[in-house]
Amino acid sequence: MFKINDNYLKLPGSYLFSTIGKKVNAFQAANPDKKVIRLGIGDVTQPLAPAIIEALHSAVDEMADAATFKGYAPDLGYEFLRNAIARNDYKDRGCDISADEIFVSDGAKCDSGNIQEIFSVDNKIAVCDPVYPVYVDTNVMAGRTGTYDASTGMWSDVIYMPCTVDNNFAPDFPKETPDLIYLCFPNNPTGATITKDQLQDWVDYANKVGAVIIYDAAYEAYISEDNVPHSVYECEGARTCAIELKSFSKNAGFTGTRLGYTVIPKDLKAGDVMLHSLWARRHGTKYNGAPYIVQKAGEAVYSPAGKQQLSEQVAYYMNNAKIIKTGLQEAGYTVSGGVNAPYIWLKTPDRMTSWEFFDYLLEHANVVGTPGSGFGPSGEGYFRLTAFGSCENTVEALERIRKM
Ligand SMILES: *Cc1c(COP(=O)(O)O)cnc(C)c1O
């Protein structure tokens, strides 16, 4: 008789976005005349930039001709893309990462979920709280997290690093020593960042205790301040302790097109085993690569025209972020984020819970956001708004919030 992987049964239901969906649908059904504005989703809304569309079209034409047709892509990605990444995202920033340390994939969600496979089930993970749910849930599926306590929303074998207003949303070193440390800066959901010195401290810590940092840099393109690191490899010693995840979703609008990459330096070893070899083996065995046409589109992200158009796209979203942040501040809210990230993290007023504020905002402003408690227990009493809407809707949403 077959048995299932009953780690899956330990997962609490995907409560957050299904509950939001149900509440919004119920509100809309009861109030068909009201225009609901959604500032909850973490998905982009601007179309792909012209330079990317052009690259897609020409790659499609190549696929129509036997002379230029492409079948399976190389396991780890096409050289043209890996070279463009190595040059633009690393070499030009003074980071020592070579093209053959880059693994092209179909996105950072999959990579952040899959990467734990190359580590023993005995490893203990540390995560920020609140956190992007993928890191914890994929470790639950692997059986690495112990038991779930519904009253605290915490797993017995996970090390939580609270990120609240008290530490400026930057985690402190945990009391218990972790084996794997998930860090994401600029952060989803808080929109917070850490300085290069702070990240250097984490790299030094990881090297000292023998931990691996899994660094999610999905929002790197939104960094506007000088002392904020764009890559963990800006830090000395990161080559022996850090894996970096990148995505084309948020900087270039590839959420539906799908492209990302993972960096594993060859100096990152357990004894004399390179993690690079394990991940290469996994890619070769379980993955057949991002499509050629999408990798060509990814190459266009690094062309002069692509860079120019994408910086305008990021600026468009960051203008929304500014509208949200200043609008909320003027209305008397305590807000953070929105400077190096497309997320604004606000303290709920009058000691409301995150869900109470969700209902209040939906009822009185017809605006949808995301309750902070959905990202972890330390998110309780906070609320996330995103800058990924249209400018018109963002302006209107803030006018309504100010009138509440
Ligand atoms: C959006 C996001 C990603 C990107 O995932 P893709 O699979 O590349 O679309 C990765 N990490 C975080 C924290 C995100 O918010």
Side-chain angles (χ1 to χ4, degrees):
M1 179 63 184
F2 72 89
K3 294 196 177 98
I4 56 164
N5 174 355
D6 53 15
N7 291 317
Y8 277 65
L9 304 182
K10 299 179 190 165
L11 287 165
S14 65
Y15 175 66
L16 182 61
F17 288 100
S18 67
T19 308
I20 291 173
K22 278 184 207 142
K23 281 179 179 270
V24 175
N25 289 343
F27 178 84
Q28 193 74 85
N31 302 277
D33 54 316
K34 299 251 166 81
K35 180 189 156 200
V36 172
I37 298 179
R38 290 162 202 266
L39 300 183
I41 45 155
D43 196 358
V44 295
T45 54
Q46 293 286 296
L48 292 174
I52 293 163
I53 292 295
E54 213 174 285
L56 280 169
H57 279 301
S58 88
V60 167
D61 287 342
E62 285 183 74
M63 295 300 261
D65 182 342
T68 49
F69 170 78
K70 301 286 188 300
Y72 288 125
D75 279 352
L76 308 187
Y78 282 99
E79 284 302 316
F80 62 79
L81 180 58
R82 299 170 85 198
N83 288 332
I85 293 167
R87 190 169 56 248
N88 289 278
D89 287 347
Y90 296 104
K91 197 159 171 284
D92 287 355
R93 292 208 176 101
C95 301
D96 175 22
I97 292 296
S98 58
D100 66 355
E101 295 173 316
I102 293 161
F103 299 76
V104 174
S105 74
D106 60 358
K109 183 180 192 177
C110 327
D111 284 354
S112 68
N114 291 329
I115 195 72
Q116 46 78 29
E117 270 187 40
I118 64 170
F119 296 97
S120 159
V121 76
D122 299 332
N123 284 315
K124 195 123 191 198
I125 68 161
V127 295
C128 292
D129 170 23
V131 70
Y132 182 58
V134 178
Y135 312 149
V136 175
D137 287 0
T138 53
N139 278 287
V140 174
M141 292 168 175
R144 209 175 269 116
T145 58
T147 51
Y148 185 66
D149 181 344
S151 68
T152 60
M154 291 166 128
W155 294 89
S156 60
D157 293 355
V158 172
I159 301 169
Y160 292 89
M161 305 184 289
C163 296
T164 63
V165 73
D166 298 329
N167 54 11
N168 213 9
F169 306 100
D172 300 314
F173 296 131
K175 287 193 191 77
E176 192 184 346
T177 304
D179 303 300
L180 304 176
I181 304 163
Y182 289 82
L183 295 178
C184 172
F185 292 106
N187 188 262
N188 176 15
T190 67
T193 47
I194 56 175
T195 64
K196 190 172 164 187
D197 287 348
Q198 285 175 302
L199 186 55
Q200 182 67 56
D201 289 345
W202 276 100
V203 167
D204 293 344
Y205 171 83
N207 275 321
K208 193 178 89 192
V209 304
V212 172
I213 294 173
I214 298 168
Y215 195 75
D216 186 339
Y219 295 95
E220 171 275 316
Y222 291 85
I223 293 172
S224 68
E225 293 181 319
D226 279 342
N227 61 345
V228 177
H230 289 254
S231 163
V232 69
Y233 303 112
E234 289 178 32
C235 297
E236 226 166 286
R239 285 186 56 85
T240 56
C241 70
I243 292 172
E244 183 159 283
L245 313 171
K246 280 291 289 282
S247 167
F248 287 69
S249 286
K250 312 296 165 38
N251 64 326
F254 277 50
T255 52
T257 309
R258 308 306 309 144
L259 193 65
Y261 65 84
T262 288
V263 180
I264 307 190
K266 291 183 174 171
D267 298 342
L268 181 45
K269 293 177 184 167
D272 51 11
V273 179
M274 292 195 296
L275 297 193
H276 184 282
S277 311
L278 302 186
W279 191 240
R281 190 73 169 84
R282 188 200 177 277
H283 253 250
T285 302
K286 288 199 182 182
Y287 187 58
N288 257 334
Y292 173 72
I293 56 175
V294 175
Q295 294 194 48
K296 287 302 278 185
E299 185 187 27
V301 165
Y302 298 103
S303 70
K307 282 183 185 174
Q308 172 61 31
Q309 291 159 11
L310 293 175
S311 77
E312 285 164 20
Q313 219 168 67
V314 166
Y316 177 89
Y317 292 131
M318 288 312 280
N319 181 51
N320 290 345
K322 196 171 169 191
I323 290 167
I324 297 171
K325 190 166 188 179
T326 52
L328 289 172
Q329 280 167 336
E330 282 162 22
Y333 289 86
T334 304
V335 271
S336 57
V339 176
N340 298 296
Y343 296 116
I344 287 83
W345 191 242
L346 65 103
K347 188 95 197 76
T348 58
D350 306 326
R351 295 173 174 267
M352 278 189 218
T353 67
S354 299
W355 278 109
E356 282 166 357
F357 186 72
F358 176 91
D359 292 332
Y360 179 79
L361 194 65
L362 181 58
E363 182 70 34
H364 296 280
N366 314 143
V367 170
V368 182
T370 313
S373 56
F375 299 101
S378 294
E380 182 57 272
Y382 292 91
F383 199 79
R384 190 190 76 175
L385 293 175
T386 85
F388 285 131
S390 70
C391 185
E392 298 74 29
N393 281 347
T394 304
V395 169
E396 189 179 336
L398 266 293
E399 270 165 17
R400 294 187 200 165
I401 290 172
R402 259 184 295 215
K403 284 190 202 129
M404 272 196 323

